[in-house]
Each structure stands twice: as C-alpha cells, then as structure tokens.
Amino acid sequence: MFVVGGSDDGEGSCLSVHVFDKYTGKWLVPTILGTKPLPCKGHSAVLLNNDRILVLKQDALPDDCTWFLEVDTPFVRDQKKILETEVVAWSKGVKGDGLKPVVISGPSGVGKGTLISKLMNEFSHTFGFSRCILDIDVQGARSVKASSLDVMSIFICPPSYEDLEKRLRARGTETEEQVQKRLRNATAELEQGKSSGLFDHILVNDDLETSYQNLKTILGLNESSDASNQTSTEGVEFSTFQSLTEKDQKVLIHYNGSALESKTLFVLDVSSLKGGAPGRTRGLKVSAIDPFTYGAKGMLGNNNDIYC
C-alpha cells in the first residue's frame, strides 16, 4: 500500500511517499529517486499496470500536472537490488512523444562541444529547462542505450582520420603523447560509433555551420522561436476534479458533482507510455469526450477509484 501526501519536512518542498509493509505492520519512508513534484492544493491518483501510480495534481500548470510514481517497474526493481532498500521513483508525464533526451558522442576534437554550445545559446530555454542533452563517450552512450532511458543518440565524426589529427594538433593544448593517446581512442570510437548501430544518427562535421544546421534538423528545431520547441502539454488544465477511474488503460477524470452532468470530460490514454524514471514518461494522450458516449458510460460503471 502506498500513500502520497504532503511534504515530510512540513515546508511543502515536495510530495511525500509512505509505504505500508504488510509483514511488519509498519509504515516505511522509501528511498525516492527522480525529480520530485512540488506539493499542490490537491491531487488524485490511480494505479496503472500494478507497477506505477498516476498522480494528477489539481490547480497546477499544464506542464506540471501529470506525474507517475513508479513502484515496481524494471528500473525500480533494479534500484532495490542495488540499494537493498524500498525504492520508488518519480517521473513527469509528457503529452505525446515529447522531447527525448539527446545523447551526443564522438571522438575528442571532432567539434561536439562547439555544436552543443551553439545549441545552448540559440535554444537556451529548450535545453535549459525542458530537454536534456548529454555529451558522453561511446561507452557511456552504450550504457545509456542499455538502460530504461529512451533517448535520441547522435554520433559526430570527422570527414577523415587525417582531418581529426589536424584539428587535435591545431589546438596546441596537449603534448605529443596526449595527442597520440587521443588518436588511438578516436580510432576505436570511430569504429564503434559508425558500425555498431548504436546511434540513431551519424553526423559528419565537415563544415561547422552546415553541420549545425543539420543537427538542428535532426533535433526538429527551427530558427523561428525557442518557445515553439518546448514540450507540448499546454491546452488542458485540470483544476477541480475529485477522482480518477482507470479501465483498459484509459483514465477518466471525475469533476466536482456528477460526472454525467458535465458537458465535457477528459480521458487520459496511458496505453502507449514510453520512457520513465529516471527520465520523463512520454506518450500520454489527452482527449475530450461527450459524457454520454458509450466509452464514458462504460468507464463510469467502474468502481476501482483511488482517492489520495
């Protein structure tokens, strides 16, 4: 049994989680992983697939109202083994496919840092608040791809090995021994990055500006507005609902009063969720329905509500 409530510290810093141990008859405070949601005026929750709890915050901004508390997902089970204690993990829900975290890899001297700096300067809001970008080596990228994170991976490579050596020497910041070490590492990274199928995209950095424009195209970015690239969760704000009902991986939001008296109801389709802790949960679909449709009536007959 899980209870999601106010903050443990009494200062409202984040929502608290308590777990009831049926064997000892005691309440436990688990280790909580992931970014924790801030408290709100109220919230409702419903269990999904016996492995996560959907928490819908009332009177929250549209991009902060939907959260998932993972209690028995593969990620949580792995962390329980590692930490040898009770573990839960928070993950923010994102409408639609959202923006995947970006992994950029490539040998030293290929220009990764310059390309990332240009992205951060032009799209500071996107990569500063709503999207994560990681600059890691090939082995790190392999570890990320093997985890539960659903990422977009990009490998940056030089037009030739000779060109890479020229760039490394032109920096003039390393000894000959260090240059030779970087070149040896680059040989292995280029072989793995270009032939293993590890990366979703391979980008040849021949000309910086051309490569940067190609990188923006891969990431679905444009030059018109930074705001246009933010995660799309706007348009639906859940304010005064009372409870949630789940049936067939669809969650019906019950509002104050009789749900059948409302002219419009909202349904959250959670059948195509992707990602999850320690990142975001994407694939959430939101739709408005007529309360007298067959689907809504069928869901209103379900009594498996959970109040929190």
Side-chain angles (χ1 to χ4, degrees):
M1 181 185 298
F2 296 84
V3 170
V4 182
S7 61
D8 286 322
D9 56 19
E11 298 179 357
S13 60
C14 62
L15 288 176
S16 68
V17 179
H18 292 80
V19 181
F20 183 74
D21 189 331
K22 62 181 180 182
Y23 298 106
T24 64
K26 297 181 180 180
W27 287 97
L28 306 175
V29 178
T31 297
I32 303 176
L33 305 178
T35 302
K36 304 176 182 65
L38 296 175
C40 52
K41 294 181 179 179
H43 64 274
S44 290
V46 64
L47 181 66
L48 302 175
N49 301 324
N50 292 317
D51 65 2
R52 71 194 69 200
I53 299 170
L54 169 65
V55 177
L56 208 59
K57 296 169 61 177
Q58 298 185 14
D59 296 316
L61 294 174
D63 64 348
D64 188 48
C65 60
T66 308
W67 290 79
F68 294 89
L69 180 65
E70 299 188 12
V71 297
D72 195 35
T73 59
F75 172 75
V76 167
R77 290 197 295 270
D78 289 343
Q79 294 302 309
K80 285 181 180 179
K81 293 178 181 178
I82 295 172
L83 301 176
E84 298 182 343
T85 187
E86 188 67 39
V87 173
V88 296
W90 282 109
S91 175
K92 179 183 282 191
V94 176
K95 180 182 175 183
D97 290 335
L99 297 173
K100 291 184 178 181
V102 179
V103 168
I104 294 183
S105 298
S108 178
V110 79
K112 302 188 303 295
T114 302
L115 290 169
I116 291 173
S117 294
K118 289 174 72 66
L119 282 175
M120 296 296 291
N121 289 335
E122 184 173 358
F123 301 95
S124 58
H125 191 284
T126 296
F127 292 105
F129 297 94
S130 60
R131 194 171 192 178
C132 174
I133 186 166
L134 303 173
D135 176 4
I136 54 180
D137 61 20
V138 173
Q139 291 302 319
R142 192 182 302 278
S143 297
V144 170
K145 293 286 279 189
S147 71
S148 60
L149 284 174
D150 185 15
V151 302
M152 175 187 292
S153 57
I154 303 171
F155 184 73
I156 311 293
C157 63
S160 67
Y161 179 85
E162 292 74 20
D163 186 82
L164 179 63
E165 181 177 3
K166 185 185 300 183
R167 294 182 189 181
L168 284 172
R169 295 189 182 281
R171 295 197 302 194
T173 57
E174 292 146 329
T175 65
E176 179 62 24
E177 182 180 354
Q178 291 173 324
V179 170
Q180 290 300 324
K181 181 179 180 180
R182 291 190 182 278
L183 288 173
R184 288 193 298 271
N185 292 338
T187 300
E189 287 189 299
L190 288 170
E191 182 178 353
Q192 295 179 56
K194 297 171 68 174
S195 63
S196 64
L198 174 63
F199 294 93
D200 301 316
H201 304 275
I202 295 178
L203 179 63
V204 178
N205 187 11
D206 190 358
D207 175 77
L208 179 61
E209 287 305 318
T210 300
S211 297
Y212 180 57
Q213 294 303 320
N214 290 337
L215 179 59
K216 290 199 295 182
T217 299
I218 291 173
L219 296 176
L221 302 173
N222 58 49
E223 300 177 357
S224 59
S225 172
D226 186 11
S228 67
N229 297 294
Q230 299 178 36
T231 303
S232 176
T233 54
E234 68 274 11
V236 179
E237 183 173 351
F238 308 113
S239 55
T240 57
F241 60 87
Q242 286 186 319
S243 64
L244 309 176
T245 297
E246 188 273 337
K247 183 177 181 181
D248 298 328
Q249 294 192 311
K250 290 181 173 59
V251 178
L252 178 67
I253 302 173
H254 296 264
Y255 284 84
N256 288 333
S258 170
L260 286 175
E261 293 175 358
S262 302
K263 294 181 179 180
T264 302
L265 296 176
F266 287 108
V267 172
L268 307 182
D269 186 338
V270 294
S271 61
S272 302
L273 298 180
K274 303 174 183 177
R280 298 188 177 192
T281 300
R282 300 185 306 279
L284 185 66
K285 301 176 183 177
V286 184
S287 59
I289 62 171
D290 186 300
F292 293 98
T293 61
Y294 174 80
K297 289 180 179 179
M299 293 184 71
L300 289 169
N302 189 306
N303 294 318
N304 294 327
D305 295 350
I306 296 179
Y307 297 85
C308 294

